[in-house]
Amino acid sequence: MPSKASKWCGVAVALAGSWLTHDASAATVPAGFVDEQVASGLVTPTKMAFAPDGRLLVAQQSGTLRVIKNGTLLATPFLSLSVSSSGERGLLGVAFDPNFASNQYVYVYYTTATAPIHNRVSRFTATGDVASAGSELVLLDLETLNASNHNGGALQFGPDGKLYVGVGENGVGTNPEELIAAAHA
């Protein structure tokens, strides 16, 4: 019997495979891993994150955050956001708070739909399998987007308990150098 970790690695491959190739069965996985489709009906998934209780949230570029619970894609989304989804924009990141079991916080990274178009990091509070109405707390609004690609979207809590955000370089080739210089100043 494969371990939970290898099963979920197979899930990652299956979800990525269904997005990139539309044929999850074509994935080749290392020995000890399992390639298993756990849900269908997802459209342009961009990121996924596991809750401590085993639920899987899958971000769709169109702005819908879907829930897979006990191997079933739930009909009601966790969250539906109005997003700009042209190019590499949209709902791009999701992360659970390290203290999710007690505070129920879920963080998302998405591209706003209203001008000026920009990326945003917000926190929502979960109530069961959905976000509580009106619970959005905007944590970070990034600068206006110049490009529809290179928008980042990675969200990850570090061992220090801080939320780290991968913002991309917004189609401006000099941005990485400026960020590195600022970090070393």
Side-chain angles (χ1 to χ4, degrees):
M1 175 128 224
S3 71
K4 263 191 167 177
S6 65
K7 178 181 178 183
W8 289 122
C9 286
V11 170
V13 170
L15 287 173
S18 67
W19 181 33
L20 298 173
T21 67
H22 300 288
D23 183 9
S25 64
T28 302
V29 297
F33 287 82
V34 176
D35 179 10
E36 176 183 342
Q37 182 173 341
V38 296
S40 62
L42 295 167
V43 179
T44 57
T46 55
K47 177 70 174 163
M48 63 182 185
F50 285 98
D53 63 10
R55 286 178 293 169
L56 177 63
L57 292 187
V58 180
Q60 295 184 134
Q61 186 178 11
S62 63
T64 306
L65 190 55
R66 303 295 306 270
V67 180
I68 299 174
K69 184 176 182 179
N70 299 323
T72 302
L73 179 66
L74 301 184
T76 303
F78 177 82
L79 176 68
S80 294
L81 295 167
S82 179
V83 301
S84 170
S85 60
S86 66
E88 297 172 2
R89 297 175 177 175
L91 179 54
L92 303 174
V94 59
F96 286 93
D97 192 281
N99 296 312
F100 177 78
S102 60
N103 63 25
Q104 299 295 292
Y105 293 157
V106 176
Y107 298 81
V108 297
Y109 182 108
Y110 67 97
T111 310
T112 62
T114 56
I117 304 296
H118 62 283
N119 290 320
R120 169 179 285 165
V121 177
S122 287
R123 184 185 79 196
F124 292 85
T125 303
T127 300
D129 295 324
V130 297
S132 299
S135 70
E136 181 175 13
L137 175 63
V138 175
L139 301 175
L140 176 66
D141 278 320
L142 296 164
E143 64 188 55
T144 301
L145 291 174
N146 298 315
S148 65
N149 61 347
H150 299 218
N151 284 282
L155 294 175
Q156 183 73 42
F157 279 90
D160 57 4
K162 294 179 181 177
L163 178 63
Y164 289 84
V165 180
V167 298
E169 39 85 317
N170 194 12
V172 179
T174 57
N175 277 349
E177 290 85 9
E178 290 173 13
L179 291 172
I180 291 169
H184 288 82

